[in-house]
Amino acid sequence: MGHPVLSARNPFKLLAVDSDTDALGDIRTCLTGGELNIATASSGAEAIRILEFSKVDLVILDIQIRDIDGLSFLQYMRGQFKDIEVIMTASSPSVPDAVQAIKGGAANFLVKPLKPNDLLTAVERLLSKLAQRRALLPQSPPPETYGLIGISGGIRNVIERIERAAAINANVLIRGESGTGKELVARAIHYRSDRAAARFVPVNCTAIPDTLIESELFGHVKGAFTGAKDSRAGFFQIADGGTIFLDEIGDASLNLQGKLLRVLQNKEIHIVGSSHVRKVDTRIIAATHKDLPAMMERNHFREDLYYRLDVVDIYVPPLRERQEDILPLVNHFLGKYAKEMGLAPPGLSDRAIENLNNYSWPGNVRELENLTQRLLVNADNDILGVADLPGTMHRGVRPYVDAPKTLAAVEAEHILRILKSTDGNKTRAASILGIDRKTLRQKLKRIPPT
Ligand SMILES: Nc1ncnc2c1ncn2[C@@H]1O[C@H](COP(=O)(O)OP(=O)(O)OP(=O)(O)O)[C@@H](O)[C@H]1O
Ligand SMILES: [Mg+2]
């Protein structure tokens, strides 16, 4: 049955990326002979989708793929998926390219047309290495992101603050627009903290009728009031030792605010109908999409309560301010719900991706999650295109909310955005912009520093 590492049951997954379909066919033939599980992609965009959907162990990457420079793609992979081994291939190899590739972390640099034996040997060697490495590190945990998908600076900052909040016992205030993931953040803090074994109790502050506040929060004894047929524990007792999540704290009535403040100050509760006072040890994490300081000015929110809650402040930015997260989130939810529905996750056309990226997502991640479910229900293609997206997402309809700008300002903004997307690589930026490097340099000189 051939080499043990290359047996049919081997756990490794390979990906070949080449814009030349003949070359892809050759690689596939050569390696499936070794009974390997191999996927192929003819563009960088397609490769990214595969990398994000499935755990790939080894990539065979051509230096000249259609939509992205192979060396930049190598850099992206090394940054994003540290554990992946890479073999680079080139049809017109140059020494500087080979040096760059090896420096950039590729394990091999093979010249095309590929000799089946060379390829097979290189692959076998790398997979043996991976197998050994994995055997040595049986359970190296994945980087902890608490189910928070995203690669933007904004989400990394949130994750960092979750870590810090989890390590201490202070109260937390999470701010952010509706649907940005505030509850997910609150749960992450609780389950990372040393309170994880006790309960996480979500309380929606809008949903408590004023007459029931005390009994809901602090519980009541049998016969405490008409209708109290049994004793019942309140949220603070249930969450004793754990965490109470006060959701929509900005919607709490002044009455509720007063009651909450008292528990925060005294760390004790009065159970309704009993003369008994009980000590409680609960951590408070509150969340709101409202501007509490503005509410305080109008006396709609108590300042003393605000300062008790806002010890650790976590702001979750809206999705439109972290565009890099859109595609990873879409892929994540397409994968998740496709699996639930027993479907193969569909791909997305480049134009569909562009439209998703340009949409302003007023409902944030929740809107995106709902959209992916709808897309799956209606999908009748393997690749979702622009026509599958709701009309509001069609390019160009995004309302122009910005102040009027000069043409030069728009041009400058566009140039800087493209340059950012190429990580400052001027050659690639110039090629995307359809101008030469010299023109780009001149234009950049004219952009005033910000
Ligand atoms: N970064 C993320 N990664 C994965 N899923 C996310 C992320 N952010 C949000 N979600 C998902 O989006 C949905 C909305 O998130 P959540 O309920 O936490 O938002 P919220 O800020 O509490 O919204 P609201 O203010 O409307 O209550 C949930 O299903 C959540 O799991
Ligand atoms: Mg919520």
Side-chain angles (χ1 to χ4, degrees), residues 147-190:
L148 277 165
I149 306 293
I151 54 170
S152 63
I155 210 74
R156 285 204 305 269
N157 185 32
V158 167
I159 289 170
E160 200 177 290
R161 298 190 68 84
I162 290 174
E163 294 276 351
R164 274 195 252 162
I168 57 176
N169 226 338
N171 293 338
V172 181
L173 181 65
I174 305 171
R175 296 175 298 114
E177 286 179 15
S178 191
T180 46
K182 296 186 293 297
E183 180 155 353
L184 208 56
V185 169
R187 286 180 189 275
I189 297 172
H190 171 75

Side-chain angles (χ1 to χ4, degrees), residues 179 182-183 245 247-248 287 366:
K182 296 186 293 297
E183 180 155 353
F245 175 53
D247 202 3
E248 313 291 1
R366 178 171 299 112

